[in-house]
Amino acid sequence: MTGSVKAMAVTTLAALVAVSAYSVALGSNGWLWFGWVVLGLLTLGMAAAGSA
């Protein structure tokens, strides 16, 4: 994995922790989860493009 893909993966994991903490503290927000899924798909796409 290149440095940018690793940074994106770390950002995605940090966002997962943040969205999970927000959901526990203030209740679930569908838009936050949708944003996290989009971020995860972008990360997977970058990883797939980098390994090709």
Side-chain angles (χ1 to χ4, degrees), residues 2-3 5-6 9-11 13-14 16-18 20-22 24-25 32 37-38 40-43 46-48:
T2 64
V5 175
K6 286 182 185 178
V10 169
T11 302
L13 290 175
L16 175 61
V17 171
S20 297
Y22 181 93
V24 168
L32 287 178
V37 168
V38 170
L41 290 174
L42 286 171
T43 302
M46 285 179 64

Side-chain angles (χ1 to χ4, degrees), residues 27-44:
S28 184
N29 183 332
W31 283 110
L32 287 178
W33 286 107
F34 175 76
W36 182 81
V37 168
V38 170
L39 183 62
L41 290 174
L42 286 171
T43 302
L44 287 174

